Amino acid sequence: MLNNNEHQQISIYRRILSLSSILLPYRHILLFALFFILVYAVTRITGIIIYHDVIDLRETPKLLFNGLRTDISGLGYILALPVLLTFIWSSLPEKISRIFFLIEKVYLLVIGSLVFFMELCTFPFMEEYATRPNRLFVEYIIYPTELTKLMINGHLFSVITVLSLMAVFIFFFYKVLNKLSIRKNSFNPVSILIFILIGALTFISARSSFDHRPFNIAKASFSTNQIVNTLTANSGYTLVTSIKGMMSENNYTYETMPDEDILNTVKTDTGFDYSPATENNPTMNHLSPTGINGRKNIVIILEESMGAQYVGFLGGSNLTPNLDRIYHEGLGFSRLYATGVRSVRGIEAVTAGFTPTINTSTVKREKTQKNFFNLASVLKDNGYHNSFIYGGESHFDNMKSFFLGNGYTEIIDFNSYTNPIFISSWGVSDEDLFNKALEHFDNMHQKQQLFYSLVFTSSNHDPFEIIESFAGNVKNRDTAVRYADYALGKFYDELKKKPYFNDTVFLVIADHDSRAWGNELIPVKHFHIPGVIFGGGITPKIEEHVVSQIDMPKTLLSLAGITADVPTVGYDLTNLPENFNGRALLQFYQNFCYLKDDGSAVMILPDKKISTATYDFSTKKLTESQENKHLEKVALAYALLGELAYDKGFFSVKKDKKL
């Protein structure tokens, strides 16, 4: 006779065996995941060995960790369907379950083969393009003749090697899948619970984050070395991210114009010295600085959602006494307009002088992730230390990858703060941000190091979480604006005490207004933003011309004493021509607006539509007006320039022969 303890032990064993039998149908999914984690790891380690002389080996632990996280995330998406199919075929009658079983095996064979193929293609592709397979991998497919010639004439050994290994893989993988057999489960609450738990684990793996945003390729990036960031993500993940980026580039088009006409029209309109222009950089023009008393540091304070509607100095609602004070003490712009309604649009304009496009901002587009002209690329060549300082997660909107790939040598973001005063959904408070910025500037000054910093605020953002000692229980836009201004005022007062204040050119500028809405094709009044330059011996002045965010890079370089050849068609606002007729470029989703000093406004719309209007700066209203063919041509040229510059790589910082 068995005693009670023995009966209990047998009961436990039976439960374990029962649970094991329920889990058994999912075993092949786990093995699939483990196999490809191994494949990814082998590729990554091989890459580290191949490129060991161009990467910092001290970064390899983080490379491998972030790489593993990327792999698990990607596999989470891949295995979501097999998990569902396994639950279905393990619970249904045998005749029906065989159909779902077959679907799953075909899926695993196809997806597994594609994943393996992408890893095999990694190093041949990296040898040519110094990056994992990306959008070029897809774009070349539409040119089969050229692609075939390229592969056979230039990479025949790689082609043979990849195809041979693929044949071996498919053969053995097919054999393994054929040995899988249907393992039945009884359809009961326990099997349903197991499926829910495995499904939840798959979802968590795919998302790989409990933050507001799921894990992505930008979050995996951490190095200023592009090869390190390239090796971090696996090739399948990189390619899918690239395809998603391509798909987000909408197929909207404007009225067309020959490339040569676009360039000639813009060049004639600006009248710059285009003698440095090259075949691949036809907009390259020469900048001679107005600031000649030695080189100066540059700091941009990019204020989140700070529209002119809140700024008393600009006729707004008197919520910004500190910004108003700075306007009285610096070079202020009374008719400055944002290029768009998203932060990334402001970033590309303020830091690179890039004209807005009908498609996604260059910050998020693949061709601009390295060797893309911006302030940092110019200043890096002039011995500056370049940094991006942010209170939140720098991977948001792909900022981290964009900056690391284009001349920024240091990223200071949420993980860089110790004991912050306040943390909101978007990161630390603006006070914490500015304290960190001061700490960084002090450090650079002590090292006698010229520096450029982009400081991006975030407190003035929905859901308007502000430290209680300032806001009390009031959480709204006005309170957030007042706090953003308060923090800016404290920062400004501290800056004026610093020994490097007069050796630094500071720009306070908004990325965009808080909202851009209205029944007009272009809500022009919601593109009006504040902008003021101070420090560096700046003489107080108010510039009343209509100007754009794209004018800021050349203006800052000029004031900092930098001589450079630049591809941006923005103006140096400290050295305007006598007959200057101000203009601004506004992009409202698919609609583009070219705004002039006299209120003339040409709106370029999708499907080859052009509308001419007049903007009243007092009433802030647009009214229809007679067409102006010359102005329409100029407006269309500017509307098309950004996409042409992106497509042809006009902002590439690589050297090219002159025209």
PDB file of all heavy atoms in Angstrom, residues 39-69:
ATOM      1  N   VAL A  39      22.260  31.390 -35.217  1.00  0.00           N
ATOM      2  CA  VAL A  39      22.668  31.881 -36.541  1.00  0.00           C
ATOM      3  C   VAL A  39      22.996  33.374 -36.480  1.00  0.00           C
ATOM      4  O   VAL A  39      24.028  33.822 -36.997  1.00  0.00           O
ATOM      5  CB  VAL A  39      21.555  31.621 -37.584  1.00  0.00           C
ATOM      6  CG1 VAL A  39      21.862  32.353 -38.892  1.00  0.00           C
ATOM      7  CG2 VAL A  39      21.398  30.131 -37.838  1.00  0.00           C
ATOM      8  N   TYR A  40      22.110  34.139 -35.845  1.00  0.00           N
ATOM      9  CA  TYR A  40      22.349  35.581 -35.718  1.00  0.00           C
ATOM     10  C   TYR A  40      23.652  35.849 -34.953  1.00  0.00           C
ATOM     11  O   TYR A  40      24.429  36.743 -35.319  1.00  0.00           O
ATOM     12  CB  TYR A  40      21.199  36.243 -34.963  1.00  0.00           C
ATOM     13  CG  TYR A  40      19.884  36.299 -35.690  1.00  0.00           C
ATOM     14  CD1 TYR A  40      18.690  36.053 -35.013  1.00  0.00           C
ATOM     15  CD2 TYR A  40      19.809  36.625 -37.035  1.00  0.00           C
ATOM     16  CE1 TYR A  40      17.461  36.122 -35.663  1.00  0.00           C
ATOM     17  CE2 TYR A  40      18.597  36.701 -37.695  1.00  0.00           C
ATOM     18  CZ  TYR A  40      17.420  36.449 -37.002  1.00  0.00           C
ATOM     19  OH  TYR A  40      16.213  36.532 -37.652  1.00  0.00           O
ATOM     20  N   ALA A  41      23.865  35.092 -33.887  1.00  0.00           N
ATOM     21  CA  ALA A  41      25.058  35.298 -33.060  1.00  0.00           C
ATOM     22  C   ALA A  41      26.330  34.997 -33.846  1.00  0.00           C
ATOM     23  O   ALA A  41      27.320  35.737 -33.744  1.00  0.00           O
ATOM     24  CB  ALA A  41      24.978  34.433 -31.810  1.00  0.00           C
ATOM     25  N   VAL A  42      26.303  33.921 -34.625  1.00  0.00           N
ATOM     26  CA  VAL A  42      27.478  33.554 -35.431  1.00  0.00           C
ATOM     27  C   VAL A  42      27.790  34.665 -36.440  1.00  0.00           C
ATOM     28  O   VAL A  42      28.954  35.051 -36.617  1.00  0.00           O
ATOM     29  CB  VAL A  42      27.236  32.212 -36.157  1.00  0.00           C
ATOM     30  CG1 VAL A  42      28.323  31.965 -37.198  1.00  0.00           C
ATOM     31  CG2 VAL A  42      27.207  31.064 -35.155  1.00  0.00           C
ATOM     32  N   THR A  43      26.743  35.194 -37.091  1.00  0.00           N
ATOM     33  CA  THR A  43      26.945  36.287 -38.052  1.00  0.00           C
ATOM     34  C   THR A  43      27.538  37.501 -37.361  1.00  0.00           C
ATOM     35  O   THR A  43      28.482  38.133 -37.861  1.00  0.00           O
ATOM     36  CB  THR A  43      25.609  36.680 -38.717  1.00  0.00           C
ATOM     37  OG1 THR A  43      25.016  35.534 -39.297  1.00  0.00           O
ATOM     38  CG2 THR A  43      25.828  37.731 -39.793  1.00  0.00           C
ATOM     39  N   ARG A  44      26.997  37.832 -36.216  1.00  0.00           N
ATOM     40  CA  ARG A  44      27.435  39.038 -35.495  1.00  0.00           C
ATOM     41  C   ARG A  44      28.882  38.893 -35.011  1.00  0.00           C
ATOM     42  O   ARG A  44      29.683  39.832 -35.141  1.00  0.00           O
ATOM     43  CB  ARG A  44      26.483  39.278 -34.323  1.00  0.00           C
ATOM     44  CG  ARG A  44      26.504  40.681 -33.773  1.00  0.00           C
ATOM     45  CD  ARG A  44      25.333  40.912 -32.846  1.00  0.00           C
ATOM     46  NE  ARG A  44      24.089  41.131 -33.570  1.00  0.00           N
ATOM     47  CZ  ARG A  44      23.025  40.338 -33.492  1.00  0.00           C
ATOM     48  NH1 ARG A  44      23.047  39.262 -32.707  1.00  0.00           N
ATOM     49  NH2 ARG A  44      21.948  40.613 -34.194  1.00  0.00           N
ATOM     50  N   ILE A  45      29.201  37.752 -34.459  1.00  0.00           N
ATOM     51  CA  ILE A  45      30.568  37.519 -33.970  1.00  0.00           C
ATOM     52  C   ILE A  45      31.553  37.494 -35.135  1.00  0.00           C
ATOM     53  O   ILE A  45      32.665  38.023 -35.032  1.00  0.00           O
ATOM     54  CB  ILE A  45      30.628  36.208 -33.163  1.00  0.00           C
ATOM     55  CG1 ILE A  45      29.836  36.373 -31.859  1.00  0.00           C
ATOM     56  CG2 ILE A  45      32.066  35.820 -32.863  1.00  0.00           C
ATOM     57  CD1 ILE A  45      29.625  35.079 -31.095  1.00  0.00           C
ATOM     58  N   THR A  46      31.124  36.903 -36.251  1.00  0.00           N
ATOM     59  CA  THR A  46      31.968  36.919 -37.451  1.00  0.00           C
ATOM     60  C   THR A  46      32.231  38.350 -37.894  1.00  0.00           C
ATOM     61  O   THR A  46      33.354  38.699 -38.274  1.00  0.00           O
ATOM     62  CB  THR A  46      31.294  36.141 -38.600  1.00  0.00           C
ATOM     63  OG1 THR A  46      31.033  34.802 -38.170  1.00  0.00           O
ATOM     64  CG2 THR A  46      32.176  36.117 -39.838  1.00  0.00           C
ATOM     65  N   GLY A  47      31.203  39.174 -37.824  1.00  0.00           N
ATOM     66  CA  GLY A  47      31.364  40.582 -38.183  1.00  0.00           C
ATOM     67  C   GLY A  47      32.344  41.292 -37.265  1.00  0.00           C
ATOM     68  O   GLY A  47      33.157  42.115 -37.725  1.00  0.00           O
ATOM     69  N   ILE A  48      32.284  40.992 -35.983  1.00  0.00           N
ATOM     70  CA  ILE A  48      33.213  41.603 -35.031  1.00  0.00           C
ATOM     71  C   ILE A  48      34.649  41.207 -35.371  1.00  0.00           C
ATOM     72  O   ILE A  48      35.568  42.041 -35.327  1.00  0.00           O
ATOM     73  CB  ILE A  48      32.866  41.176 -33.586  1.00  0.00           C
ATOM     74  CG1 ILE A  48      31.512  41.778 -33.175  1.00  0.00           C
ATOM     75  CG2 ILE A  48      33.957  41.610 -32.618  1.00  0.00           C
ATOM     76  CD1 ILE A  48      30.989  41.250 -31.854  1.00  0.00           C
ATOM     77  N   ILE A  49      34.831  39.947 -35.748  1.00  0.00           N
ATOM     78  CA  ILE A  49      36.173  39.471 -36.111  1.00  0.00           C
ATOM     79  C   ILE A  49      36.662  40.162 -37.384  1.00  0.00           C
ATOM     80  O   ILE A  49      37.805  40.630 -37.460  1.00  0.00           O
ATOM     81  CB  ILE A  49      36.158  37.940 -36.299  1.00  0.00           C
ATOM     82  CG1 ILE A  49      35.855  37.247 -34.967  1.00  0.00           C
ATOM     83  CG2 ILE A  49      37.491  37.454 -36.873  1.00  0.00           C
ATOM     84  CD1 ILE A  49      35.607  35.757 -35.093  1.00  0.00           C
ATOM     85  N   ILE A  50      35.777  40.255 -38.394  1.00  0.00           N
ATOM     86  CA  ILE A  50      36.162  40.863 -39.674  1.00  0.00           C
ATOM     87  C   ILE A  50      36.504  42.335 -39.509  1.00  0.00           C
ATOM     88  O   ILE A  50      37.482  42.833 -40.075  1.00  0.00           O
ATOM     89  CB  ILE A  50      35.033  40.692 -40.712  1.00  0.00           C
ATOM     90  CG1 ILE A  50      34.866  39.214 -41.078  1.00  0.00           C
ATOM     91  CG2 ILE A  50      35.306  41.528 -41.963  1.00  0.00           C
ATOM     92  CD1 ILE A  50      33.683  38.933 -41.978  1.00  0.00           C
ATOM     93  N   TYR A  51      35.695  43.040 -38.708  1.00  0.00           N
ATOM     94  CA  TYR A  51      35.856  44.489 -38.576  1.00  0.00           C
ATOM     95  C   TYR A  51      36.511  44.885 -37.257  1.00  0.00           C
ATOM     96  O   TYR A  51      36.357  46.021 -36.801  1.00  0.00           O
ATOM     97  CB  TYR A  51      34.492  45.171 -38.708  1.00  0.00           C
ATOM     98  CG  TYR A  51      33.862  44.994 -40.071  1.00  0.00           C
ATOM     99  CD1 TYR A  51      32.856  44.055 -40.269  1.00  0.00           C
ATOM    100  CD2 TYR A  51      34.294  45.747 -41.161  1.00  0.00           C
ATOM    101  CE1 TYR A  51      32.283  43.878 -41.528  1.00  0.00           C
ATOM    102  CE2 TYR A  51      33.724  45.574 -42.417  1.00  0.00           C
ATOM    103  CZ  TYR A  51      32.719  44.637 -42.596  1.00  0.00           C
ATOM    104  OH  TYR A  51      32.159  44.457 -43.835  1.00  0.00           O
ATOM    105  N   HIS A  52      37.270  43.978 -36.665  1.00  0.00           N
ATOM    106  CA  HIS A  52      37.856  44.243 -35.348  1.00  0.00           C
ATOM    107  C   HIS A  52      38.787  45.453 -35.347  1.00  0.00           C
ATOM    108  O   HIS A  52      38.952  46.134 -34.333  1.00  0.00           O
ATOM    109  CB  HIS A  52      38.627  43.017 -34.852  1.00  0.00           C
ATOM    110  CG  HIS A  52      39.911  42.767 -35.607  1.00  0.00           C
ATOM    111  ND1 HIS A  52      39.936  42.122 -36.823  1.00  0.00           N
ATOM    112  CD2 HIS A  52      41.208  43.113 -35.325  1.00  0.00           C
ATOM    113  CE1 HIS A  52      41.191  42.055 -37.265  1.00  0.00           C
ATOM    114  NE2 HIS A  52      41.979  42.647 -36.382  1.00  0.00           N
ATOM    115  N   ASP A  53      39.380  45.739 -36.506  1.00  0.00           N
ATOM    116  CA  ASP A  53      40.346  46.843 -36.558  1.00  0.00           C
ATOM    117  C   ASP A  53      39.685  48.207 -36.738  1.00  0.00           C
ATOM    118  O   ASP A  53      40.367  49.238 -36.665  1.00  0.00           O
ATOM    119  CB  ASP A  53      41.355  46.606 -37.685  1.00  0.00           C
ATOM    120  CG  ASP A  53      40.686  46.454 -39.039  1.00  0.00           C
ATOM    121  OD1 ASP A  53      39.480  46.109 -39.072  1.00  0.00           O
ATOM    122  OD2 ASP A  53      41.359  46.658 -40.064  1.00  0.00           O
ATOM    123  N   VAL A  54      38.382  48.241 -36.975  1.00  0.00           N
ATOM    124  CA  VAL A  54      37.704  49.531 -37.156  1.00  0.00           C
ATOM    125  C   VAL A  54      36.638  49.783 -36.091  1.00  0.00           C
ATOM    126  O   VAL A  54      35.915  50.774 -36.157  1.00  0.00           O
ATOM    127  CB  VAL A  54      37.059  49.635 -38.564  1.00  0.00           C
ATOM    128  CG1 VAL A  54      38.129  49.647 -39.631  1.00  0.00           C
ATOM    129  CG2 VAL A  54      36.049  48.526 -38.789  1.00  0.00           C
ATOM    130  N   ILE A  55      36.511  48.882 -35.142  1.00  0.00           N
ATOM    131  CA  ILE A  55      35.551  49.087 -34.063  1.00  0.00           C
ATOM    132  C   ILE A  55      36.267  49.031 -32.719  1.00  0.00           C
ATOM    133  O   ILE A  55      37.356  48.460 -32.599  1.00  0.00           O
ATOM    134  CB  ILE A  55      34.407  48.048 -34.090  1.00  0.00           C
ATOM    135  CG1 ILE A  55      34.943  46.624 -33.825  1.00  0.00           C
ATOM    136  CG2 ILE A  55      33.663  48.085 -35.400  1.00  0.00           C
ATOM    137  CD1 ILE A  55      33.848  45.574 -33.765  1.00  0.00           C
ATOM    138  N   ASP A  56      35.654  49.640 -31.732  1.00  0.00           N
ATOM    139  CA  ASP A  56      36.179  49.611 -30.373  1.00  0.00           C
ATOM    140  C   ASP A  56      35.674  48.330 -29.708  1.00  0.00           C
ATOM    141  O   ASP A  56      34.478  48.189 -29.435  1.00  0.00           O
ATOM    142  CB  ASP A  56      35.704  50.851 -29.604  1.00  0.00           C
ATOM    143  CG  ASP A  56      36.333  50.950 -28.223  1.00  0.00           C
ATOM    144  OD1 ASP A  56      36.945  49.963 -27.768  1.00  0.00           O
ATOM    145  OD2 ASP A  56      36.189  52.023 -27.604  1.00  0.00           O
ATOM    146  N   LEU A  57      36.563  47.387 -29.450  1.00  0.00           N
ATOM    147  CA  LEU A  57      36.164  46.092 -28.907  1.00  0.00           C
ATOM    148  C   LEU A  57      35.516  46.210 -27.530  1.00  0.00           C
ATOM    149  O   LEU A  57      34.800  45.302 -27.096  1.00  0.00           O
ATOM    150  CB  LEU A  57      37.370  45.153 -28.849  1.00  0.00           C
ATOM    151  CG  LEU A  57      37.950  44.749 -30.219  1.00  0.00           C
ATOM    152  CD1 LEU A  57      39.157  43.849 -30.040  1.00  0.00           C
ATOM    153  CD2 LEU A  57      36.893  44.043 -31.065  1.00  0.00           C
ATOM    154  N   ARG A  58      35.730  47.336 -26.851  1.00  0.00           N
ATOM    155  CA  ARG A  58      35.078  47.528 -25.556  1.00  0.00           C
ATOM    156  C   ARG A  58      33.571  47.698 -25.713  1.00  0.00           C
ATOM    157  O   ARG A  58      32.822  47.574 -24.743  1.00  0.00           O
ATOM    158  CB  ARG A  58      35.675  48.762 -24.859  1.00  0.00           C
ATOM    159  CG  ARG A  58      37.118  48.583 -24.389  1.00  0.00           C
ATOM    160  CD  ARG A  58      37.696  49.862 -23.864  1.00  0.00           C
ATOM    161  NE  ARG A  58      37.769  50.887 -24.900  1.00  0.00           N
ATOM    162  CZ  ARG A  58      38.273  52.104 -24.706  1.00  0.00           C
ATOM    163  NH1 ARG A  58      38.746  52.441 -23.509  1.00  0.00           N
ATOM    164  NH2 ARG A  58      38.296  52.979 -25.703  1.00  0.00           N
ATOM    165  N   GLU A  59      33.124  47.975 -26.935  1.00  0.00           N
ATOM    166  CA  GLU A  59      31.691  48.134 -27.190  1.00  0.00           C
ATOM    167  C   GLU A  59      31.012  46.812 -27.529  1.00  0.00           C
ATOM    168  O   GLU A  59      29.794  46.759 -27.670  1.00  0.00           O
ATOM    169  CB  GLU A  59      31.472  49.130 -28.341  1.00  0.00           C
ATOM    170  CG  GLU A  59      31.854  50.559 -27.996  1.00  0.00           C
ATOM    171  CD  GLU A  59      31.521  51.532 -29.119  1.00  0.00           C
ATOM    172  OE1 GLU A  59      31.682  51.162 -30.298  1.00  0.00           O
ATOM    173  OE2 GLU A  59      31.086  52.653 -28.816  1.00  0.00           O
ATOM    174  N   THR A  60      31.792  45.734 -27.666  1.00  0.00           N
ATOM    175  CA  THR A  60      31.200  44.459 -28.099  1.00  0.00           C
ATOM    176  C   THR A  60      30.187  43.870 -27.113  1.00  0.00           C
ATOM    177  O   THR A  60      29.190  43.292 -27.565  1.00  0.00           O
ATOM    178  CB  THR A  60      32.300  43.420 -28.401  1.00  0.00           C
ATOM    179  OG1 THR A  60      33.165  43.278 -27.268  1.00  0.00           O
ATOM    180  CG2 THR A  60      33.120  43.840 -29.608  1.00  0.00           C
ATOM    181  N   PRO A  61      30.384  43.984 -25.799  1.00  0.00           N
ATOM    182  CA  PRO A  61      29.334  43.450 -24.908  1.00  0.00           C
ATOM    183  C   PRO A  61      27.975  44.095 -25.148  1.00  0.00           C
ATOM    184  O   PRO A  61      26.953  43.401 -25.227  1.00  0.00           O
ATOM    185  CB  PRO A  61      29.870  43.753 -23.505  1.00  0.00           C
ATOM    186  CG  PRO A  61      31.351  43.808 -23.667  1.00  0.00           C
ATOM    187  CD  PRO A  61      31.556  44.432 -25.019  1.00  0.00           C
ATOM    188  N   LYS A  62      27.959  45.415 -25.300  1.00  0.00           N
ATOM    189  CA  LYS A  62      26.693  46.101 -25.557  1.00  0.00           C
ATOM    190  C   LYS A  62      26.175  45.772 -26.948  1.00  0.00           C
ATOM    191  O   LYS A  62      24.962  45.641 -27.158  1.00  0.00           O
ATOM    192  CB  LYS A  62      26.876  47.611 -25.405  1.00  0.00           C
ATOM    193  CG  LYS A  62      25.552  48.381 -25.342  1.00  0.00           C
ATOM    194  CD  LYS A  62      25.750  49.811 -24.891  1.00  0.00           C
ATOM    195  CE  LYS A  62      24.398  50.512 -24.713  1.00  0.00           C
ATOM    196  NZ  LYS A  62      24.552  51.906 -24.231  1.00  0.00           N
ATOM    197  N   LEU A  63      27.098  45.628 -27.893  1.00  0.00           N
ATOM    198  CA  LEU A  63      26.710  45.228 -29.245  1.00  0.00           C
ATOM    199  C   LEU A  63      25.988  43.883 -29.211  1.00  0.00           C
ATOM    200  O   LEU A  63      24.912  43.713 -29.809  1.00  0.00           O
ATOM    201  CB  LEU A  63      27.955  45.145 -30.126  1.00  0.00           C
ATOM    202  CG  LEU A  63      27.817  44.918 -31.637  1.00  0.00           C
ATOM    203  CD1 LEU A  63      29.116  45.306 -32.346  1.00  0.00           C
ATOM    204  CD2 LEU A  63      27.505  43.462 -31.973  1.00  0.00           C
ATOM    205  N   LEU A  64      26.561  42.929 -28.508  1.00  0.00           N
ATOM    206  CA  LEU A  64      25.976  41.584 -28.447  1.00  0.00           C
ATOM    207  C   LEU A  64      24.653  41.586 -27.686  1.00  0.00           C
ATOM    208  O   LEU A  64      23.698  40.900 -28.078  1.00  0.00           O
ATOM    209  CB  LEU A  64      26.966  40.617 -27.794  1.00  0.00           C
ATOM    210  CG  LEU A  64      28.244  40.340 -28.604  1.00  0.00           C
ATOM    211  CD1 LEU A  64      29.238  39.535 -27.783  1.00  0.00           C
ATOM    212  CD2 LEU A  64      27.904  39.594 -29.891  1.00  0.00           C
ATOM    213  N   PHE A  65      24.595  42.367 -26.608  1.00  0.00           N
ATOM    214  CA  PHE A  65      23.351  42.418 -25.831  1.00  0.00           C
ATOM    215  C   PHE A  65      22.228  43.049 -26.639  1.00  0.00           C
ATOM    216  O   PHE A  65      21.121  42.503 -26.719  1.00  0.00           O
ATOM    217  CB  PHE A  65      23.567  43.201 -24.535  1.00  0.00           C
ATOM    218  CG  PHE A  65      22.304  43.407 -23.738  1.00  0.00           C
ATOM    219  CD1 PHE A  65      21.784  42.380 -22.965  1.00  0.00           C
ATOM    220  CD2 PHE A  65      21.618  44.616 -23.791  1.00  0.00           C
ATOM    221  CE1 PHE A  65      20.606  42.551 -22.241  1.00  0.00           C
ATOM    222  CE2 PHE A  65      20.448  44.801 -23.075  1.00  0.00           C
ATOM    223  CZ  PHE A  65      19.941  43.763 -22.303  1.00  0.00           C
ATOM    224  N   ASN A  66      22.497  44.208 -27.232  1.00  0.00           N
ATOM    225  CA  ASN A  66      21.474  44.862 -28.046  1.00  0.00           C
ATOM    226  C   ASN A  66      21.119  44.013 -29.263  1.00  0.00           C
ATOM    227  O   ASN A  66      19.981  44.015 -29.726  1.00  0.00           O
ATOM    228  CB  ASN A  66      21.948  46.247 -28.497  1.00  0.00           C
ATOM    229  CG  ASN A  66      21.835  47.282 -27.399  1.00  0.00           C
ATOM    230  OD1 ASN A  66      21.627  46.945 -26.242  1.00  0.00           O
ATOM    231  ND2 ASN A  66      21.974  48.544 -27.737  1.00  0.00           N
ATOM    232  N   GLY A  67      22.129  43.294 -29.772  1.00  0.00           N
ATOM    233  CA  GLY A  67      21.864  42.402 -30.888  1.00  0.00           C
ATOM    234  C   GLY A  67      20.925  41.277 -30.505  1.00  0.00           C
ATOM    235  O   GLY A  67      19.982  40.946 -31.246  1.00  0.00           O
ATOM    236  N   LEU A  68      21.153  40.676 -29.342  1.00  0.00           N
ATOM    237  CA  LEU A  68      20.274  39.611 -28.860  1.00  0.00           C
ATOM    238  C   LEU A  68      18.858  40.136 -28.663  1.00  0.00           C
ATOM    239  O   LEU A  68      17.874  39.461 -29.004  1.00  0.00           O
ATOM    240  CB  LEU A  68      20.822  39.041 -27.550  1.00  0.00           C
ATOM    241  CG  LEU A  68      19.969  37.952 -26.873  1.00  0.00           C
ATOM    242  CD1 LEU A  68      19.825  36.733 -27.774  1.00  0.00           C
ATOM    243  CD2 LEU A  68      20.577  37.562 -25.530  1.00  0.00           C
ATOM    244  N   ARG A  69      18.761  41.331 -28.131  1.00  0.00           N
ATOM    245  CA  ARG A  69      17.442  41.928 -27.923  1.00  0.00           C
ATOM    246  C   ARG A  69      16.722  42.142 -29.262  1.00  0.00           C
ATOM    247  O   ARG A  69      15.519  41.903 -29.379  1.00  0.00           O
ATOM    248  CB  ARG A  69      17.603  43.256 -27.192  1.00  0.00           C
ATOM    249  CG  ARG A  69      16.296  43.831 -26.679  1.00  0.00           C
ATOM    250  CD  ARG A  69      16.539  45.076 -25.865  1.00  0.00           C
ATOM    251  NE  ARG A  69      15.284  45.694 -25.459  1.00  0.00           N
ATOM    252  CZ  ARG A  69      15.198  46.871 -24.855  1.00  0.00           C
ATOM    253  NH1 ARG A  69      16.285  47.558 -24.593  1.00  0.00           N
ATOM    254  NH2 ARG A  69      14.014  47.362 -24.517  1.00  0.00           N
TER     255      ARG A  69
END
